[in-house]
Amino acid sequence: MPVLEVHLVEGDHAPAAVARLLEAASRRYAEVLESPVERIRAYATLHPREHWAVGGATGGAPAPYFTAIVLEGRPTEQRHRLLAELTDLLVDVLGATRSRVRGRIIQVPPDDWAIGGVPASAARRDEIAARRG
């Protein structure tokens, strides 16, 4: 289920660095969530510089943004660790300035997420119950 999307300005980072980020973020996401890495989906969305504004102006310094989607019921400490560690990766792998990185976690109810067309509440019933218990 876990999905990560990182938004970057096109041309700010070498394609190989973006690939390294996605691979490292997938492993870290799996580690933090205690989930098999095979379940992780990680994407980079590259925006043309003229389609990116920071502080009301286009063309500014890089300011990466990420969204991490998790099933509802993950502990607060785990979500906070995920925010911190994904930020660390953007800093370490891409050289982003920590204070410019933004990110958020979106919690999705298991009934509103499909795995192969089946609600996660049914597909992962035992795992979800264990997390809540």
Side-chain angles (χ1 to χ4, degrees):
M1 164 334 144
V3 176
L4 171 67
E5 186 173 11
V6 180
H7 295 269
L8 303 168
V9 172
E10 196 170 53
D12 276 353
H13 310 285
V18 174
R20 280 193 311 276
L21 173 69
L22 294 176
E23 291 168 1
S26 294
R27 289 189 303 273
R28 190 72 52 88
Y29 209 155
E31 176 188 316
V32 171
L33 296 185
E34 300 172 354
S35 176
V37 72
E38 295 79 22
R39 292 186 187 164
I40 310 297
R41 307 294 187 263
Y43 304 92
T45 300
L46 304 177
H47 301 276
R49 183 162 303 284
E50 60 274 11
H51 294 175
W52 185 278
V54 175
T58 60
Y65 166 75
F66 66 87
T67 302
I69 302 173
V70 301
L71 285 180
E72 219 171 44
R74 295 281 180 180
T76 301
E77 299 80 21
Q78 192 178 55
R79 295 190 320 270
H80 287 180
R81 180 177 168 209
L82 186 60
L83 289 168
E85 294 202 20
L86 291 173
T87 298
D88 288 346
L89 284 172
L90 285 160
V91 170
D92 296 344
V93 176
L94 298 184
T97 301
R98 181 174 302 279
S99 64
R100 297 182 64 82
V101 175
R102 300 292 188 267
R104 72 176 176 156
I105 291 177
I106 299 172
Q107 296 185 72
V108 178
D111 283 326
D112 294 339
W113 188 264
I115 300 170
V118 177
S121 57
R124 304 266 194 265
R125 187 173 323 278
D126 293 341
E127 292 174 38
I128 292 166
R131 270 200 303 272
R132 288 189 176 152

